[in-house]
Amino acid sequence: MHKYEEKTLKVEEIFNGKILHLQVLDVELSDGKTSKREVIKHPGAVAVLAVTKENKVVMVEQYRKAAERALIEIPAGKLEPGEDPLEAAMRELEEETGYACGKLEPITAFYTSPGFADEWIRLYMATGLEKLEEPKAGDDDEFVDILEFSLDEVKGMLRSGKLCDAKTIIALQHWILLGENK
Amino acid sequence: MHKYEEKTLKVEEIFNGKILHLQVLDVELSDGKTSKREVIKHPGAVAVLAVTKENKVVMVEQYRKAAERALIEIPAGKLEPGEDPLEAAMRELEEETGYACGKLEPITAFYTSPGFADEWIRLYMATGLEKLEEPKAGDDDEFVDILEFSLDEVKGMLRSGKLCDAKTIIALQHWILLGENK
């Protein structure tokens, strides 16, 4: 047990939606006092740094209602219940970009916003990409454009702030660091 | 207007808490169909990559109830209503670590989880650190340990997965890239 662990005294279920599950917890702090924590339960997600044989990264541009703007991101998606993360990563890559990959390796995994959510993203690197003639379709309420960028283009887009999604920045910094260490 | 923009048809207010605000939106998609979006409204946050004169990064370890574990993160915190982000970054650095900084510069900014939340983190780099004798106290329900790590220690902790918070990985990969480009 961690010395600052917060013991749950009471769980109040606020909302159980299609994606998000919100609870308000009464907790006992390490000094014996009590406090409240607002917590989002999320199914977890996978994201893919997919690099083509021409050494370009495959990204998607889509409208994000929470942000009220379109964002350029690496392919990603929520885990289906019981789904193997590696299979989910291959599925999302195919559905969003139409690529299958010859090789898929874990890079790292992280909490996106541990102050209030348990969302855990597993990040993979996909290489040996092959464009599929008849890729599986994705969610019918998702519209995405597929874009490909070189390492130099990515460096410029990171510097300018055009890329502003956390998982995407993590993946692309990793790609740049791989290049620097060659 | 973006070609995939989703027009809000109806807003259902679900929860308005101390930190999180949850809405369910009915939206019109770009193909004319309708769908629902579960959206978390968050006040936004600041995070600080603070590097000491000995070239060590200052981090905090704290218990994160949403993750049900302790995490090592860079100093960070929510914006107070109307607060200037630069001042918020200085305040969080002082409250969480006891350091004041001589220089504070923006690095980048990003959405942590744009699929469901509008949380926007502004990331700064703090240098010229001076330990304060009587730093301001932080929130009375926050308990943190202050830790300092060298660049080599950070590289090892990123490789091993010991660092697994998105904003922290972004900040530290940025720090490594700064070093590589010297």
Side-chain angles (χ1 to χ4, degrees):
Chain A
M1 185 180 141
H2 193 267
K3 63 182 171 175
Y4 297 143
E5 183 164 332
E6 298 174 354
K7 194 178 151 195
T8 303
L9 302 175
K10 201 183 95 181
V11 179
E12 191 185 352
E13 300 287 346
I14 304 290
F15 177 75
N16 202 350
K18 202 171 50 168
I19 299 163
L20 303 182
H21 179 180
L22 172 61
Q23 298 176 331
V24 176
L25 309 177
D26 288 354
V27 297
E28 183 181 318
L29 306 173
S30 53
D31 65 356
K33 291 180 184 162
T34 59
S35 189
K36 287 197 183 279
R37 301 287 181 225
E38 298 165 6
V39 169
I40 297 288
K41 301 278 181 180
H42 184 280
V46 291
V48 184
L49 171 63
V51 178
T52 68
K53 290 167 184 169
E54 295 75 33
N55 208 33
K56 293 198 166 190
V57 64
V58 186
M59 308 236 267
V60 291
E61 180 170 355
Q62 64 188 308
Y63 195 80
R64 290 300 204 173
K65 188 62 188 171
E68 285 290 15
R69 57 183 279 197
L71 294 179
I72 298 173
E73 302 171 43
I74 58 170
K78 288 180 299 294
L79 283 172
E80 307 290 346
E83 190 177 26
D84 175 71
L86 208 72
E87 283 173 24
M90 282 191 278
R91 175 181 56 73
E92 288 291 346
L93 179 65
E94 178 174 341
E95 287 177 2
E96 292 197 346
T97 72
Y99 275 114
C101 62
K103 193 171 167 188
L104 191 67
E105 293 173 297
I107 295 175
T108 188
F110 46 85
Y111 294 99
T112 51
S113 201
F116 67 89
D118 71 348
E119 186 188 27
W120 176 251
I121 295 189
R122 289 173 176 86
L123 176 64
Y124 296 90
M125 181 155 190
T127 49
L129 301 189
E130 299 283 352
K131 203 86 184 172
L132 295 167
E133 289 192 10
E134 293 184 23
K136 275 181 244 136
D139 297 338
D140 64 2
D141 64 349
E142 263 188 23
F143 299 87
V144 307
D145 283 343
I146 304 162
L147 306 168
E148 298 189 6
F149 299 103
S150 69
L151 191 60
D152 277 345
E153 286 172 317
V154 160
K155 287 180 183 177
M157 290 163 78
L158 284 171
R159 266 195 305 272
S160 73
K162 190 168 170 64
L163 296 173
C164 56
D165 163 57
K167 66 181 173 300
T168 302
I169 297 175
I170 289 173
L172 296 176
Q173 287 176 328
H174 177 85
W175 191 39
I176 295 170
L177 283 166
L178 278 182
E180 307 273 331
N181 293 325
K182 256 176 200 163
Chain B
M1 183 178 141
H2 193 267
K3 63 181 170 173
Y4 297 142
E5 183 164 331
E6 298 174 354
K7 194 178 152 197
T8 303
L9 301 175
K10 200 184 96 182
V11 179
E12 189 185 353
E13 301 286 346
I14 304 289
F15 177 74
N16 202 350
K18 202 171 53 169
I19 298 164
L20 302 181
H21 179 181
L22 171 62
Q23 298 177 332
V24 176
L25 309 176
D26 287 354
V27 297
E28 183 180 320
L29 305 174
S30 54
D31 64 357
K33 291 183 184 160
T34 59
S35 189
K36 289 202 182 274
R37 300 288 182 223
E38 299 165 5
V39 169
I40 296 289
K41 302 278 183 180
H42 184 280
V46 291
V48 185
L49 170 64
V51 179
T52 68
K53 290 168 184 168
E54 295 75 33
N55 208 34
K56 292 197 166 191
V57 64
V58 186
M59 309 235 268
V60 292
E61 180 170 353
Q62 65 188 307
Y63 195 80
R64 290 301 203 172
K65 188 63 187 170
E68 286 290 15
R69 58 182 279 196
L71 294 179
I72 298 173
E73 303 171 42
I74 58 169
K78 288 179 301 292
L79 283 172
E80 307 289 346
E83 189 178 28
D84 176 71
L86 208 72
E87 283 173 24
M90 282 192 277
R91 175 181 57 72
E92 288 290 348
L93 179 64
E94 179 174 340
E95 287 176 1
E96 293 198 344
T97 72
Y99 275 113
C101 63
K103 194 171 168 188
L104 191 66
E105 294 173 296
I107 296 175
T108 187
F110 46 86
Y111 293 99
T112 51
S113 202
F116 67 89
D118 71 348
E119 186 189 27
W120 176 250
I121 295 189
R122 291 173 174 86
L123 175 64
Y124 296 90
M125 181 158 189
T127 49
L129 302 190
E130 299 283 353
K131 202 84 186 173
L132 295 167
E133 289 191 11
E134 293 183 23
K136 276 180 243 134
D139 297 337
D140 62 5
D141 65 349
E142 261 188 25
F143 299 86
V144 307
D145 284 341
I146 305 162
L147 304 168
E148 298 189 5
F149 297 103
S150 69
L151 190 59
D152 277 344
E153 287 172 317
V154 159
K155 287 179 184 177
M157 290 162 79
L158 285 171
R159 265 194 305 272
S160 74
K162 191 169 169 66
L163 297 173
C164 55
D165 162 59
K167 66 181 173 301
T168 301
I169 297 175
I170 290 173
L172 295 177
Q173 290 191 148
H174 177 83
W175 191 38
I176 295 171
L177 284 165
L178 279 182
E180 308 273 330
N181 293 325
K182 255 175 200 162

